[in-house]
Amino acid sequence: MSSSLPALDQWVAEVARLTSPDRIHWCDGSDAEARELTRQMLDSGELIALNPDSHPDCHLHRSDPDDVARVEHLTFVCTPQREDAGPNNHWLEPAQAHARIDALFAGCMRGRTLYVVPYCMGPIDSPLARCGVEITDSAYVVANMRKMTRMGAPALARIEREGHFVKGLHSTGELDPERRYIMHFPHELTIKSYGSGYGGNALLGKKCHALRIASWQARQEGWLAEHMLIVGIQNPQGDIHYIAAAFPSACGKTNLAMLIPPESYRQAGWKVWTVGDDICWMQPGADGRLWAINPEAGFFGVAPGTSQGTNRNALAMLDRDALFTNVAVTGDNQPWWEGLDDRVPALDWQGRPYDRASGTPAAHPNSRFTVSMHNCPSYTDEAENPAGVPISAIVFGGRRRHLAPLVVEACDWTHGVLIGASMASETTAAATGKVGVVRRDPMAMKPFCGYHFGDYWAHWLSFDRPGVTLPKIFQVNWFRRDDDGRFLWPGFGENLRVLEWIIARCRGQAGARDTAIGRLPDQDDLNLDGLDLDAADLQALLAVDADGWREEAEAIARHLDGFQPRVPPALLHERERLAQALAASTGTVAAEPTTTPTTAPSPA
Ligand code: SAT
Ligand code: MN
C-alpha cells in the first residue's frame, strides 16, 4: 500500500532506506488489523492476555526495566537558533542532531516490520485538529496509538486532502539507555525518537506532537497547546461549565477529569463530564471565548492509586479492552496495582513472584493503563464536537506540601499568567529522576513546551485583547500537608466543592476576599456540607502566609530571571505588583468565617 501523497510516500521510502525493515505495513486502523497485531504480540510474548472472564480483551505489556518513564535529560528541541529553544529545553543544532540520531536509525529495523501509522489529533472533522504520521517498529506502539488517537484510514484521507502532516520516526532500537534520544525539530514539524518503547517517549502523537510540536505551531497560528485536562461540570439547573486544568504528570489529572461528585452533590443533580485528561488545544472563537478540543482519543493514565474509592469511573473503564503496562498480576491473572484493593498479587511488574515482605511496590509507580475514551462512564459526545467546548475557567495546580492555599482566583489575565508561569510542584515517577523535589513547572509545561518559556508567556499574554471574553484563571493545591505529612484536604470527589466555587466566581455568584496573592474564598463561601474537616485544617488551607509568600515572590523573581532577556515586561511588572502587595501585609492572613460577596463579570 501507499498513499496518494507523494511527500508521504517519499518520506516512507527514505526511512525504509535508512532503517532496512523486512516489511512495511500501512495501518488502516481496522478491527481486523488490531486483532492480527494482538495475535502476533501474544505469540511473541510482547503481550500477555489477562483473565478473560474478569477482563475480556485486556492485555499486559512489561517494559524493559530500564525503560519505564519519560527521559527528560535525553529529550531535545532542535531549533536553528539555540535561544529559541530556551533554557527550558535541551538543545542541539539541527544538522548535528539529525546526524547523531540517524546514525542510530541506520539498519535498526532489520528483521522487523516498519509500521506507517497515520493519525489525527482531535475530532477527525475539526478545524482545530492536526494530523501526523508515526513510523514505528513497535506493534505495542501501534496498539497504543490506536486507542490514543484517531488512527488509520480516515486520518490518512485527511492528510492526503491537506497535503501536510507532522513526521514522527520511532524505533525501540536496543532499548539501551545509552542509545536513546527523543528529538524535536519544530521548524521541520519532525520528531525522531530512538531507544525507548515507553509512553511519552514512543507514542509520538502525545507529548512530542500534541505538546512540543503543537505548542510551537500554536504560537505561529494564534492558539494554545496545553498540558491540561478538560472537564464539564453540570449543575442541578443543567448548565455545563467546562474547566481546563494544568497539573504536572501524575498529579491527579485523570482523577479530576473523571471526578465522582460527593453523595450530596449527586443527589442534588450535579454531573461531571470528561472531555480529556491530559492535553487541551484552545483557540479563540468568533464569540471571543476560548474553545477547546482534546486532541487525544484515549487515556494513558497512572494505575497506582486508582480504586473504587478514588476513581470509580476509571476502574469501570479498565475491565475490558484495556492495555496495561507494568502493573502486577494476581494469582488468577487479573491486573493489580498499589491502592487498588487488599489482595496480594502473585507477580510483580517484571513478572517475578511477588513477596510483600520485600517492601517494594508490586506495580511500577509509573505503571499505566491505555483505554479508549469511549470506555469511560463519564465520557461525553462533546469530546467529538468539531467546534470544541467553551472554557469558563483555567486552573493551574501543583503538588505542594506547604504555602499554596487550596484555591486562589487571579485578579485578571496577566496575574493568572504569572500564577501559571510560577507554578511549582514536587516531582513524580512519571519522569526518571528523584521523586518529591519541588521544582518550577510553568503551566505544567516544563517538560513539554517546544520553545523558549519567555516567548511562551508573551504568547499567553497576547490573548488578552479587545473583544475577548477570556476564562478566569485559578490556582489550586489539593496536596497541602501538616508537619506529620498528613494531607489537609480530602481531595478526589471532594474537589468538586472547590470547582463549584470556581464556577460560581465565573458567574459572579460567590464571595471572595481580596488578598495580596489574589482572591480566596472565606470558609462560608465554600460548600462544606457533609464534609468532616478539622477547623484548623480549613484555616490552614485558606490562609495566606505573608512571610512565606514574600520569600516565594523573591523565588519567583529569580525563576523569571532565568528566562531573561525574553520575559515579557508585563509579567515582571505583575511580579513587582505582587511583591509590593505582600510588603504591605504581615503575618498570616486567615480566612474569615463571614464575608460580603463581591461580584465579578460572567464570562459564560
Ligand atoms: O509518559 S507520558 O508522557 O505519556 C505520561 C506523562 O508523563 O504524563
Ligand atoms: Mn501528562
Side-chain angles (χ1 to χ4, degrees):
M1 197 189 132
S2 63
S3 73
S4 67
L5 189 64
L8 175 54
D9 289 356
Q10 275 158 24
W11 176 58
V12 172
E14 234 171 73
V15 169
R17 265 196 305 278
L18 175 65
T19 59
S20 311
D22 278 14
R23 288 164 297 277
I24 298 183
H25 176 90
W26 289 67
C27 295
D28 62 13
S30 65
D31 290 341
E33 178 183 79
R35 268 197 306 274
E36 174 55 21
L37 277 177
T38 301
R39 195 192 57 73
Q40 290 173 17
M41 286 190 281
L42 287 168
D43 283 352
S44 71
E46 235 178 309
L47 285 188
I48 296 162
L50 292 167
N51 187 317
D53 299 321
S54 61
H55 291 77
D57 298 313
C58 289
H59 300 95
L60 167 64
H61 172 78
R62 295 193 180 114
S63 304
D64 186 279
D66 278 329
D67 185 32
V68 292
R70 281 182 292 100
V71 282
E72 294 176 11
H73 61 295
L74 300 172
T75 300
F76 291 79
V77 169
C78 309
T79 47
Q81 303 298 319
R82 173 178 217 136
E83 301 75 49
D84 291 333
N88 42 304
N89 284 301
H90 299 294
W91 178 85
L92 269 176
E93 192 278 317
Q96 212 188 333
H98 280 300
R100 192 182 293 187
I101 199 163
D102 285 354
L104 301 179
F105 277 115
C108 74
M109 295 192 192
R110 233 167 246 131
R112 301 184 184 183
T113 301
L114 178 160
Y115 298 96
V116 182
V117 186
Y119 63 86
C120 178
M121 300 310 290
I124 194 89
D125 293 322
S126 172
L128 283 76
R130 296 286 184 277
C131 291
V133 178
E134 173 164 0
I135 292 179
T136 178
D137 56 9
S138 161
Y140 164 77
V141 165
V142 176
N144 274 279
M145 287 293 283
R146 185 166 187 270
K147 291 192 192 304
M148 295 303 298
T149 72
R150 283 94 174 160
M151 179 272 257
L156 181 59
R158 179 168 169 165
I159 290 167
E160 290 173 327
R161 211 169 50 241
E162 291 182 334
H164 53 83
F165 58 96
V166 169
K167 291 178 188 155
L169 171 56
H170 168 255
S171 171
T172 51
E174 305 82 6
L175 296 177
D176 176 355
E178 300 297 318
R179 289 166 58 84
R180 181 174 294 165
Y181 285 113
I182 324 295
M183 291 181 173
H184 304 74
F185 304 87
H187 294 72
E188 303 164 31
L189 300 183
T190 295
I191 304 153
K192 291 186 178 179
S193 165
Y194 188 91
S196 167
Y198 191 82
N201 301 332
L203 315 179
L204 301 187
K206 198 174 177 55
K207 309 294 186 175
C208 300
H209 177 165
L211 288 176
R212 297 195 191 94
I213 298 288
S215 61
W216 187 88
Q217 275 184 301
R219 180 177 174 226
Q220 322 293 313
E221 300 172 7
W223 48 283
L224 288 166
E226 298 300 322
H227 192 203
M228 293 178 176
L229 65 92
I230 308 169
V231 64
I233 309 289
Q234 181 174 334
N235 68 15
Q237 293 74 48
D239 309 320
I240 305 181
H241 284 264
Y242 293 94
I243 295 175
F247 293 80
S249 298
C251 285
K253 285 213 302 297
T254 305
N255 292 336
L256 188 60
M258 295 172 197
L259 181 147
I260 307 274
E263 183 56 31
S264 59
Y265 277 74
R266 277 205 299 280
Q267 277 176 11
W270 289 81
K271 291 199 171 74
V272 172
W273 300 108
T274 308
V275 179
D277 80 329
D278 196 40
I279 301 180
C280 165
W281 287 357
M282 291 184 276
Q283 199 165 91
D287 61 357
R289 292 191 289 175
L290 284 187
W291 290 74
I293 59 164
N294 169 15
E296 300 191 283
F299 308 112
F300 183 66
V302 180
T306 307
S307 72
Q308 265 316 325
T310 60
N311 191 342
R312 187 149 27 90
N313 280 332
L315 216 55
M317 64 185 188
L318 298 181
D319 56 13
R320 79 213 115 93
D321 263 324
L323 183 47
F324 295 89
T325 302
N326 299 336
V327 298
V329 288
T330 61
D332 61 348
N333 213 22
Q334 297 191 34
W336 190 93
W337 48 83
E338 274 63 29
L340 175 60
D341 54 35
D342 50 20
R343 287 175 298 170
V344 178
L347 301 178
D348 73 4
W349 62 279
Q350 297 183 67
R352 302 173 304 197
Y354 181 63
D355 173 13
R356 188 173 248 187
S358 71
T360 56
H364 188 277
N366 193 34
S367 54
R368 298 272 173 162
F369 53 76
T370 317
V371 284
S372 157
M373 64 183 175
H374 293 274
N375 274 30
C376 180
S378 54
Y379 167 78
T380 164
D381 274 339
E382 287 299 315
E384 290 291 348
N385 190 335
V389 295
I391 298 298
S392 300
I394 289 176
V395 172
F396 293 121
R399 179 185 284 274
R400 293 196 75 175
R401 289 165 181 261
H402 307 294
L403 196 70
L406 180 62
V407 57
V408 183
E409 177 192 327
C411 305
D412 56 23
W413 184 257
T414 305
H415 181 215
V417 174
L418 177 68
I419 287 177
S422 46
M423 262 174 77
S425 193
E426 294 156 23
T427 50
T428 68
T432 54
K434 205 163 158 9
V435 167
V437 184
V438 174
R439 73 165 183 183
R440 297 279 159 197
D441 190 351
M443 280 82 171
M445 286 285 278
K446 165 81 183 67
F448 307 122
C449 184
Y451 61 102
H452 196 299
F453 261 147
D455 297 335
Y456 170 74
W457 297 327
H459 181 51
W460 262 85
L461 291 173
S462 76
F463 284 81
D464 191 5
R465 50 181 180 249
V468 296
T469 315
L470 291 170
K472 275 179 171 290
I473 299 180
F474 298 82
Q475 173 188 359
V476 301
N477 180 19
W478 318 135
F479 301 96
R480 273 292 287 277
R481 305 206 204 191
D482 66 12
D483 293 340
D484 299 329
R486 184 183 54 94
F487 286 104
L488 300 187
W489 176 251
F492 301 105
E494 307 298 345
N495 292 336
L496 183 55
R497 299 171 189 275
V498 175
L499 300 186
E500 181 186 9
W501 181 77
I502 285 175
I503 291 166
R505 289 297 298 166
C506 293
R507 295 161 63 97
Q509 290 172 343
R513 66 185 214 280
D514 277 311
T515 78
I517 64 166
R519 303 187 179 120
L520 276 80
D522 273 313
Q523 294 183 13
D524 64 357
D525 295 321
L526 290 175
N527 176 0
L528 301 172
D529 285 353
L531 191 62
D532 185 16
L533 200 63
D534 191 83
D537 288 351
L538 186 58
Q539 278 278 338
L541 284 163
L542 298 179
V544 178
D545 165 9
D547 293 335
W549 273 97
R550 265 192 292 275
E551 277 172 36
E552 177 76 358
E554 291 310 309
I556 292 171
R558 288 192 297 276
H559 158 64
L560 294 181
D561 220 32
F563 298 92
Q564 285 293 32
R566 294 208 188 183
V567 183
L571 211 57
L572 296 172
H573 288 149
E574 191 60 31
R575 212 267 348 153
E576 275 297 318
R577 196 196 55 73
L578 170 69
Q580 277 162 20
L582 285 164
S585 57
T586 48
T588 294
V589 187
E592 290 288 333
T594 54
T595 53
T596 339
T598 54
T599 45
S602 163

